Amino acid sequence: MADLQPVRGTHDILADDFRLHRHVCDRAAALAARHGFQEMTPPIFEFTEVFSRTLGETSDVVTKEMYTFEDRGGDSITLRPEFTAGIARAFMSNGLAQEAPLKLFARGPVFRHERPQKGRLRQFHQIDVEILGVPGAQADIEVLALAHHVLEELGVARDVSLSLNTLGDMPSRLAYRETLIAYLTPFKADLSEDSRQRLERNPMRIFDSKDAGDQKIMAEAPLLQDHLNDASRAFFDEVKSGLDTLGIAYRVDPRLVRGLDYYTHTAFEFITDTLGAQGTVLAGGRYDGLMEMMGGRPTPGIGWAAGVERLAMMIGAPPAAERPIVVIPLGDDAQTPAMKVAIDLRRSGHTVDMGYSGNLKRRMARADKANAKAVLILGSDELARGMATLRNMETGTQSDVPLNDLVETLKFHF
């Protein structure tokens, strides 16, 4: 048992880390609610088809990274590698189309079998935002505004930059696809194996290749921005104008793409140079063709997801823990009265811990280590007088306070 360790790519989120983790999630949830988003959560696992159809049969996530298994009923089940597909499935399964437009927020663990490295785990956590049922650019502007607001509130906005691109509407995408395939076909033998497989099915994903040979070929590839129709240009201009009005800085990156055909119009990433090679902390885009691909009726959508661990790494130190009041009972007779004091104080809103064992000096040292703001000592002498000894850990002053007036006294002092 002494040799047991967490599974590679997972980690225990201990108290200080969890306080920071919760800070990221709770601040994002509070801001999403302020922007009119409702919180929900899909299951941690889904039928494999939910992800294999939506993420693309040839994508790295599907072919190399998903945790897929056969359950006891013989069904193929996958731990969610991302939120959007599960939320889209929930939208259809629960007949939510009649409630559209919907603005949804979700948070929780996701699972990908990647090579563990700084800021990248096999079980990690995301915050996720989706707007379903709004075809216009106002939804794109709103999700970007929320993303920027979250990064501001977490204190990391100054360390990120927004990269923005348009993928155009479907007619633009289809016309560009043919142009890109025509450019790449003479280079087919020089492409990496992964890129050769993508050439016919999702050639735009070759822009994402990390292979040096692929990158050299793609450096001269035609760009989608040169093949947009008027409607697509107008849509992108509206998004950029909205961001300009809100004072959100961005850089147009014509090589920022999404390879799957259901993605349209806006694609974006918030990138940092503070995390080394893993620079993307928040990314998203518009996916107007997703619902139809999943067998539902056409429903426009746009959203983003952010890695909680990466955001936490950028923040660094966790927020300060609530400073407790420590109750120290001395002697067996004081145990039950001390517990009642602790319960009464907790019900009145105080954070209270109990100093259970050891001599008084040792218990006071533990209270000091816990950064207690006060210590209440109950011994036989105090109980006989109906009092407790209150020590203010900031000033070092000590006084007797009546037990029957303890809640009001502490309310005055703390």
Side-chain angles (χ1 to χ4, degrees):
M1 292 291 290
D3 294 329
L4 281 180
Q5 297 293 322
V7 174
R8 186 168 186 248
T10 68
H11 68 144
D12 301 308
I13 308 176
L14 301 180
D16 285 348
D17 289 338
F18 191 81
R19 199 160 65 248
L20 182 52
H21 180 109
R22 184 174 60 191
H23 171 70
V24 171
C25 293
D26 288 353
R27 288 305 302 145
L31 290 174
R34 198 185 301 175
H35 283 247
F37 287 74
Q38 304 175 67
E39 187 165 0
M40 58 85 69
T41 185
I44 285 178
F45 54 85
E46 302 266 3
F47 291 118
T48 299
E49 188 180 16
V50 169
F51 302 115
S52 62
R53 289 180 62 183
T54 57
L55 295 174
E57 297 284 357
T58 63
S59 71
D60 284 349
V61 174
V62 171
T63 60
K64 301 176 183 178
E65 298 173 3
M66 293 201 319
Y67 282 91
T68 298
F69 58 94
E70 186 176 295
D71 72 2
R72 292 172 183 259
D75 294 314
S76 180
I77 302 295
T78 294
L79 300 178
R80 67 181 177 213
E82 53 96 45
F83 272 97
T84 303
I87 291 174
R89 194 272 312 144
F91 180 85
M92 293 186 291
S93 299
N94 293 281
L96 298 179
Q98 60 190 5
E99 298 181 27
L102 278 177
K103 297 161 68 176
L104 302 173
F105 172 86
R107 52 177 157 174
V110 288
F111 306 85
R112 295 189 185 185
H113 191 276
E114 299 181 290
R115 183 171 64 86
Q117 53 189 291
K118 182 180 179 182
R120 174 169 289 179
L121 297 164
R122 290 177 177 175
Q123 177 184 316
F124 57 104
H125 299 78
Q126 286 186 339
I127 49 177
D128 184 273
V129 160
E130 314 287 348
I131 296 182
L132 302 173
V134 180
Q138 287 302 311
D140 306 52
I141 299 165
E142 182 159 18
V143 297
L144 282 161
L146 174 55
H148 188 260
H149 196 178
V150 168
L151 295 171
E152 276 188 324
E153 286 285 317
L154 294 177
V156 300
R158 64 186 179 278
D159 295 320
V160 301
S161 59
L162 171 58
S163 292
L164 186 71
N165 194 23
T166 177
L167 307 178
D169 58 13
M170 195 55 67
S172 294
R173 286 284 298 270
L174 292 174
Y176 172 67
R177 178 191 179 96
E178 296 306 313
T179 300
L180 185 59
I181 290 175
Y183 167 78
L184 288 170
T185 298
F187 298 102
K188 184 173 183 178
D190 300 315
L191 292 171
S192 67
E193 182 179 350
D194 283 345
S195 293
R196 284 197 297 272
Q197 293 178 2
R198 293 169 178 162
L199 179 57
E200 298 297 331
R201 301 188 67 169
N202 46 11
M204 288 178 65
R205 292 206 64 230
I206 302 176
F207 278 106
D208 293 329
S209 174
K210 301 298 187 290
D211 181 86
D214 292 347
Q215 291 177 349
K216 184 176 181 180
I217 293 170
M218 298 308 289
E220 302 297 327
L223 298 174
L224 197 155
Q225 67 177 14
D226 299 323
H227 296 77
L228 297 173
N229 56 28
D230 290 342
S232 297
R233 293 185 188 279
F235 192 102
F236 194 42
D237 286 343
E238 186 175 351
V239 173
K240 292 185 290 183
S241 176
L243 294 177
D244 292 339
T245 299
L246 297 177
I248 299 174
Y250 60 87
R251 176 180 69 90
V252 175
D253 178 1
R255 297 182 183 279
L256 175 60
V257 299
R258 299 288 185 266
L260 301 173
D261 288 339
Y262 56 77
Y263 281 106
T264 58
H265 293 299
T266 313
F268 56 90
E269 293 181 354
F270 286 84
I271 301 169
T272 183
D273 59 6
T274 65
L275 298 178
Q278 301 305 322
T280 301
V281 294
L282 186 155
R286 176 167 280 276
Y287 48 86
D288 288 352
L290 176 61
M291 295 290 186
E292 192 172 7
M293 174 176 283
M294 295 180 71
R297 63 189 189 186
T299 304
I302 184 169
W304 54 256
V308 174
E309 282 82 0
R310 293 188 186 182
L311 288 170
M313 287 168 60
M314 293 183 68
I315 296 170
E322 180 72 22
R323 297 183 67 187
I325 295 170
V326 174
V327 178
I328 297 179
L330 299 177
D332 293 341
D333 292 343
Q335 297 292 334
T336 299
M339 183 59 71
K340 184 179 185 308
V341 165
I343 292 296
D344 289 344
L345 291 175
R346 288 163 181 158
R347 285 175 173 161
S348 68
H350 292 286
T351 298
V352 179
D353 200 2
M354 292 287 289
Y356 286 110
S357 60
N359 59 35
L360 180 58
K361 181 179 180 181
R362 183 172 297 176
R363 288 194 248 184
M364 289 296 297
R366 283 201 291 265
D368 189 54
K369 186 176 181 180
N371 198 27
K373 57 186 176 183
V375 171
L376 281 168
I377 302 170
L378 278 78
S380 56
D381 178 60
E382 285 85 1
L383 290 173
R385 294 184 291 115
M387 307 290 281
T389 299
L390 172 64
R391 179 175 294 183
N392 185 316
M393 298 295 281
E394 284 290 325
T395 64
T397 57
Q398 189 166 294
S399 59
D400 288 344
V401 294
L403 286 174
N404 60 9
D405 197 33
L406 196 53
V407 170
E408 288 300 315
T409 301
L410 289 178
K411 187 184 297 183
F412 176 77
H413 285 284
F414 301 100

